[in-house]
């Protein structure tokens, strides 16, 4: 056999082996998918789809190699512990969860069933794992590094809204990773001469009061720290920012689509798709505590030109050129 043909044959076998292994798999794994949002939300539905596409990339087909057990909190984070307990009692083989509230609920429900994080803003800083390289226990997955990006979002705010001096930060202080991010935002604001006003919202019923407080502040801009609660109610927050002509900066594209001005942060669809690799490794016998937590590799700058026009703000052409996406 010629050397080239031999190498080609080896390569083909290496590619085919995982698919053959799936085909011979006897056990159908049960995956518990815990979601803080609503299954009717098209953005959340797309994230679930990205996870399933990641599984398919690895040769797994739903209903043939694994089944999904879904639980959704519809934005009411206080429901998450009960939903996590339901999945544990079924039982499921692996829990797939994203966002600090969901991950904490899963951790409280079990220290035995593997937990794969599709997104944890700051898993070490918030105490979800002791180390990225050696998470230990039953939790591993993807990190979003939200706190590390806080200063870049402050810089972004100053670039797109040069006149900004007084800025309101809307955030959930019950989320430990957001406490870290708030502190990072404070440091960055002092360095750029911004005055910050903290407005906390810890439950859906506190949103209207937060909006009233922000309206009284007469601020130049709004920074929204993104997590389960603010994501679930992003449309209300976006509508408020638009109606009050407040340029809003956030971490994720989803808040820009809802009416925000700009975002800079990780690509959530990419994280959800990549998290499937952890499920694959655990299904093949790996210990989750031995699998290092991965950091994001894709970051997105998104600008909503439609919002800019609605609030009477001109965006520099150089900024639009830098953007990964411009919404018009």
């Amino acid at each position: 056999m010629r050397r080239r043909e031999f190498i080609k044959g080896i390569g083909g076998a290496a590619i085919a082996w995982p698919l053959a292994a799936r085909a011979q798999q006897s056990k159908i794994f049960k995956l518990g998918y815990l979601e803080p949002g609503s299954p009717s939300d098209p953005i959340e539905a797309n994230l679930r789809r990205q996870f399933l596409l990641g599984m398919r990339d690895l040769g797994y087909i739903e209903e043939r190699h694994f089944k999904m057990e879904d639980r959704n909190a519809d934005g009411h984070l206080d429901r998450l512990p009960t939903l996590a307990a339901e999945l544990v009692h079924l039982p499921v083989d692996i829990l797939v969860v994203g966002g600090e509230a969901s991950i904490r609920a899963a951790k409280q429900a079990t220290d035995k069933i593997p937990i794969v994080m599709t997104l944890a803003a700051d898993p070490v800083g918030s105490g979800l794992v002791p180390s990225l390289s050696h998470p230990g226990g039953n939790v591993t997955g993807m990190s979003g590094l939200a706190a590390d990006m806080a200063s870049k979002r402050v810089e972004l705010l100053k670039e797109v809204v040069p006149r900004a001096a007084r800025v309101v930060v809307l955030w959930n202080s019950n989320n430990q990773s957001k406490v870290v991010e708030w502190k990072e935002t404070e440091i960055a604001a002092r360095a750029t001469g911004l005055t910050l006003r903290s407005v906390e919202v810890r439950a859906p019923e506190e949103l209207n009061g937060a909006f009233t407080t922000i309206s009284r502040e007469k601020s130049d801009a709004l920074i929204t720290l993104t997590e389960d609660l603010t994501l679930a109610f992003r449309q209300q927050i976006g509508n408020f920012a638009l109606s009050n002509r407040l340029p809003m900066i956030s971490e994720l594209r989803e808040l820009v689509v809802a009416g925000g001005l700009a975002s800079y942060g990780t690509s959530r669809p990419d994280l959800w798709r990549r998290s499937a690799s952890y499920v694959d490794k655990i299904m093949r016998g790996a210990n989750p505590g031995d699998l290092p937590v991965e950091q994001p590799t894709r970051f997105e700058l998104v600008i909503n030109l439609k919002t800019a026009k609605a609030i009477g703000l001109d965006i520099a052409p150089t900024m639009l050129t830098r953007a990964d996406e411009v919404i018009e």
Side-chain angles (χ1 to χ4, degrees):
M1 183 182 292
R2 294 177 182 175
R3 181 175 181 273
R4 182 179 298 175
E5 292 175 349
F6 175 77
I7 293 173
K8 183 178 178 181
I10 291 292
I15 294 170
W17 179 83
L19 299 179
R22 309 298 179 262
Q24 295 172 11
Q25 175 184 309
S26 58
K27 176 178 178 178
I28 297 179
F29 284 81
K30 189 178 292 185
L31 308 183
Y33 189 85
L34 182 61
E35 171 57 54
S38 167
S40 62
D41 184 332
I43 292 176
E44 300 304 327
N46 178 57
L47 292 176
R48 184 183 186 278
R49 176 175 171 271
Q50 292 301 320
F51 170 74
L52 293 178
L53 286 174
M55 292 295 288
R56 184 171 283 271
D57 291 342
L58 296 166
Y60 294 100
I61 299 174
E62 189 176 4
E63 298 299 329
R64 183 185 301 176
H65 303 118
F66 68 95
K67 292 184 177 180
M68 298 285 284
E69 288 286 346
D70 294 88
R71 295 294 185 275
N72 307 86
D74 294 316
H76 297 275
L77 305 188
D78 57 324
R79 299 176 183 173
L80 288 168
T82 299
L83 297 175
E86 287 181 12
L87 290 171
V88 168
H89 290 146
L90 282 176
V92 295
D93 297 297
I94 303 171
L95 286 162
V96 180
V97 297
E100 183 171 320
S102 301
I103 299 166
R104 289 196 185 281
K107 283 193 65 174
Q108 290 169 4
T110 180
D111 60 0
K112 304 271 192 311
I113 297 174
I115 298 171
V116 172
M117 306 180 293
T118 53
L119 171 61
D122 182 9
V124 176
S126 56
L128 297 174
V129 297
S131 164
L132 294 181
S133 58
H134 299 94
N138 63 324
V139 181
T140 189
M142 307 301 301
S143 166
L145 289 180
D148 295 341
M149 304 301 292
S151 61
K152 293 187 178 296
R153 284 189 284 274
V154 171
E155 293 171 9
L156 172 63
L157 172 60
K158 286 297 290 183
E159 285 194 69
V160 295
V161 193
R163 62 176 174 78
R166 293 170 52 82
V167 178
V168 169
V169 179
L170 179 67
W171 65 295
N172 180 0
S173 59
N174 281 348
N175 187 320
Q176 185 57 43
S177 68
K178 297 299 120 175
V179 174
V180 176
E181 191 174 344
W182 159 252
K183 292 177 181 176
E184 293 289 334
T185 304
E186 275 191 303
I187 293 170
R190 283 198 297 270
T192 54
L194 292 177
T195 300
L196 295 189
R197 167 74 159 89
S198 169
V199 176
E200 300 175 22
V201 56
R202 294 167 292 270
E205 55 270 20
E206 296 181 5
L207 266 176
N208 289 334
F211 292 157
T212 300
T213 300
I214 295 172
S215 297
R216 289 198 302 260
E217 286 296 313
K218 306 296 182 185
S219 294
D220 303 313
L222 170 67
I223 295 176
T224 298
L225 304 190
T226 311
E227 48 89 53
D228 295 336
L229 180 61
T230 52
L231 263 176
F233 293 91
R234 63 186 178 278
Q235 196 59 62
Q236 292 92 318
I237 297 170
N239 291 343
F240 168 78
L242 266 179
S243 63
N244 286 269
R245 299 172 66 85
L246 268 176
M248 181 173 72
I249 305 296
S250 60
E251 176 188 350
L252 297 179
R253 176 186 184 276
E254 287 84 344
L255 273 82
V256 183
V257 173
L261 176 64
S263 67
Y264 184 71
T266 57
S267 168
R268 288 212 300 161
D270 180 60
L271 295 181
W272 258 251
R273 193 158 184 158
R274 288 170 59 197
S275 67
S277 66
Y278 284 93
V279 174
D280 167 51
K281 291 170 185 173
I282 293 169
M283 287 168 69
R284 290 192 285 118
N287 183 339
D290 296 331
L291 300 175
V293 175
E294 289 188 26
Q295 298 178 349
T297 57
R298 288 183 57 189
F299 300 90
E300 299 177 327
L301 170 60
V302 181
I303 296 175
N304 191 328
L305 200 55
K306 183 178 179 181
T307 292
K309 292 176 180 177
I311 63 179
L313 187 67
D314 292 325
I315 304 294
T318 52
M319 176 62 70
L320 296 176
T321 302
R322 285 166 47 196
D324 297 283
E325 180 182 1
V326 176
I327 299 172
E328 300 187 66

